[in-house]
Each structure stands twice: as C-alpha cells, then as structure tokens.
Amino acid sequence: MARSFVQITDLTPDEVNEVFNLCDRMKKGEIAPKPYAGKTVGCIFHKASLRTRISFETGIFQLGGQSLYITEKEISLGKRETIADAAKVLSRYLATIMIRTFSHDDVEQLALHADVPIVNGLTDLTHPCQILGDYYTLIEHKGRRDDFKIAYVGDGNNITNSWLNLASLIPMKFHIGTAADTSPDKDILKKAQEAGVSEIMLTDDPKEAVAGADVIYTDVWASMGQKDQAEEKASLLKQYQVNDELLKQAKADCIVMHCLPAERGREITDEVMDGPHSVVFDEAENRLHIQKAIMTFVME
Ligand code: CP
Ligand code: NVA
C-alpha cells in the first residue's frame, strides 16, 4: 500500500516535523524538488473549492507535474463502479490522487485499494492539509514549535476534528468553545483525550475557551453539505462570534485564524478579520507550501 495522507494521525510526530521542515525549505527557496516530473496528479472534487483547488494545481506544477481536475460528473466515484475498482484503475495512470468529498469512509476506501498515495483535500470529518498548514503558520508567527494555547470557537466540525488529531501528536492546550449540539466528532475527541499528549478542554463558554489563548480559531457555522442548517446553527452559535470583545480575553499578542471562506458578520466580524491579529491570508498562502511538502513526502 502506498503512503497516503488521509488524516494527520497517519503521520508520527517526527514525520509531522519532517513535513514542516520540508515546507520551510521549499517556502524559503532553499530546495525545489521535482518529484512529479513527467507525472500526473488527479484532483477529485465533489465539493466547491477556491484555495484547495488552486493551491494544489499550482503546487503540482511547481513540483514538475501536471494536475487533472476530476469532478463527480465524470467518474461518479462509488456509483459507476466500486471505489476499489476505480482506485485500481486510477493508480495505473496517476502518481498521486488528491480528493475532496463528503464521506471520509470513501477516502479511506480509496487509500485502501489504490497503489498510489491518496491525499485528503477535505471530507465531512477532517481537513488535514488545512490544519498542518495552519500549524506551520502559527510556528512562523510565534517563532517556536510548541507550547501554544489554541482556542477553537464555533461549530465543532472537520476543522475542529483535525485540530484534535494534531493535538494527539503535538502537545498543546486545545480548548473548544461550542454549544452542546455542535460538538466535534465524539470518537476523535475521545482518541485525542486518551492520547494524553495535549490538554483538551470543551466548554460552552466562549470566554472561558479563549482566556489567555495564543490563537483564536474559527470557521463557518454551517459547512459544505450543511448549508440547509445555516439558520439553526446560527441560532445555536450566535454567542460564539469572534469579535473585538472576545479577543480581549486572549493574550495581547494572540493571533486569529480562519481556514476561509468566511461568512463575515457571522462567525467573525470584519474588524477582527481585517484587524492586526488576523493571519488568515498567511494561512491561505501556506496551503500551497504545506501541500507541496505533503505531496513530496508521500512520494519519497
Ligand atoms: N480552506 C479551504 O479549504 O478553502 P476552499 O474550500 O476554498 O478550498
Ligand atoms: N468546515 C468548512 C471548511 C471549508 C474549508 C467546510 O467543510 O465547509
């Protein structure tokens, strides 16, 4: 089986550091590997994307390869033929497959049956490339690799779950401020707590979550595939908006993160998003660098 990146816990802590080092050297222009020269990377998208599509396509080009944009309309993954059959066939053409889809199990299936690496570009359950890129952004801004208090405020979703996965590898204080009905995945939460690596705290009080934080992180209240629940989620989560008032509870040099796209005026105000604490566009840029590092790592 090829080396895939379906979730952060597919890596060891040492491998996470190796990916950060690779990312750093590529971003600084110290190395420019071309592991995909003469090769094609298939990029399967069953959901919309700005950052993921453009950063993967650009990164693949910079790594010497060509990218192929594949939508549900062409391949109907798991419907026209089994995922196992599709995985075997795609492996005969492609060097790596990046996939963004709804079902995390489908991505696990693809990785199980493919002979080439599978890279998860977001599922309903996780968004591992995003959180590795965000942690790299945090390292850049703070100049150290650990000892952070990270407060996630808002909907317990694929972003929260990926932070929990990272917290089971890298020691941190990870405090989640969310409502009882919007908690992250129970299984991932339990595994992160049982890993005993980080201090994980869940509270329904947003101020308690962000007290003394180095990072406040938020995301949309209704993710892709849940937009019909937008109003219900907004009423559950309205007290979890990241605004100037909430920011006062964190450290004075706290940074504010958001994976984007943001719904300004809902989970985050314009003042915070455009303010001096926000690093949201650095996060977006670092998607390119971290994914180049991940794609290089899985090919090694
Ligand atoms: N953050 C992120 O994955 O953005 P896109 O949905 O635009 O790819
Ligand atoms: N939680 C969001 C992240 C988008 C990058 C979603 O899944 O829609």
Side-chain angles (χ1 to χ4, degrees):
M1 213 162 80
R3 190 71 210 258
S4 287
F5 182 65
V6 174
Q7 41 188 359
I8 289 173
T9 47
D10 290 344
L11 303 180
T12 64
D14 282 349
E15 286 171 342
V16 170
N17 274 314
E18 192 182 328
V19 170
F20 289 148
N21 290 340
L22 203 52
C23 177
D24 211 39
R25 296 180 70 201
M26 283 185 189
K27 184 170 179 181
K28 288 177 178 151
E30 290 168 8
I31 51 167
K34 303 273 180 216
Y36 289 91
K39 296 183 161 72
T40 303
V41 179
C43 297
I44 303 173
F45 280 93
H46 294 167
K47 285 178 175 174
S49 172
L50 185 156
R51 280 142 290 269
T52 305
R53 179 174 178 191
I54 315 298
S55 58
F56 263 102
E57 292 199 354
T58 304
I60 292 159
F61 175 73
Q62 291 177 5
L63 295 174
Q66 87 159 4
S67 67
L68 194 60
Y69 178 63
I70 307 165
T71 66
E72 173 74 353
K73 211 170 138 212
E74 280 85 47
I75 60 166
S76 295
L77 192 70
K79 295 186 193 117
R80 198 158 168 262
E81 58 198 305
T82 65
I83 291 180
D85 287 348
K88 291 282 171 210
V89 174
L90 290 171
S91 301
R92 301 285 175 114
Y93 310 129
L94 304 170
T96 290
I97 301 166
M98 193 288 307
I99 178 164
R100 163 170 287 198
T101 191
F102 295 86
S103 159
H104 191 81
D105 287 348
D106 284 0
V107 180
E108 299 273 11
Q109 280 296 307
L110 200 59
L112 187 66
H113 296 284
D115 302 313
V116 297
I118 303 299
V119 176
N120 175 358
L122 179 145
T123 65
D124 288 347
L125 192 69
T126 61
H127 196 3
C129 294
Q130 178 72 50
I131 299 311
L132 274 200
D134 290 338
Y135 200 84
Y136 176 78
T137 307
L138 176 55
I139 295 169
E140 274 188 325
H141 277 272
K142 296 291 181 188
R144 62 179 197 273
R145 285 215 170 186
D146 51 23
D147 195 28
F148 299 115
K149 177 176 174 185
I150 298 159
Y152 180 94
V153 184
D155 187 42
N157 60 15
N158 45 9
I159 294 292
T160 335
N161 295 337
S162 297
W163 270 114
L164 285 166
N165 278 334
L166 187 64
S168 63
L169 300 181
I170 293 181
M172 63 179 83
K173 290 190 174 109
F174 186 59
H175 292 193
I176 304 165
T178 193
D181 291 340
T182 54
S183 294
D185 183 79
K186 285 188 178 49
D187 189 40
I188 293 181
L189 176 65
K190 190 163 166 262
K191 279 189 183 142
Q193 284 166 333
E194 284 174 359
V197 170
S198 294
E199 178 193 296
I200 315 274
M201 195 263 270
L202 195 67
T203 171
D204 61 4
D205 178 354
K207 287 190 174 163
E208 186 189 2
V210 305
D214 298 292
V215 181
I216 298 180
Y217 199 113
T218 193
D219 184 18
V220 288
W221 289 339
S223 288
M224 289 181 273
Q226 305 179 327
K227 294 297 178 192
D228 57 334
Q229 299 167 36
E231 294 318 312
E232 187 192 332
K233 292 248 189 190
S235 81
L236 285 171
L237 291 165
K238 57 179 182 295
Q239 58 163 320
Y240 298 89
Q241 184 186 65
V242 176
N243 52 34
D244 282 333
E245 197 51 37
L246 191 67
L247 207 56
K248 282 185 198 150
Q249 311 298 319
K251 281 192 184 150
D253 64 351
C254 168
I255 62 173
V256 173
M257 299 184 123
H258 191 310
C259 57
L260 305 180
E263 293 189 19
R264 286 167 175 264
R266 278 212 159 174
E267 75 276 2
I268 189 165
T269 59
D270 285 335
E271 289 72 21
V272 173
M273 180 122 156
D274 300 325
H277 297 272
S278 170
V279 300
V280 300
F281 300 113
D282 294 337
E283 293 175 75
E285 179 192 333
N286 283 334
R287 291 290 304 281
L288 169 67
H289 306 295
I290 203 76
Q291 288 157 194
K292 283 172 67 184
I294 292 164
M295 285 190 286
T296 303
F297 176 83
V298 295
M299 282 293 274
E300 275 171 358

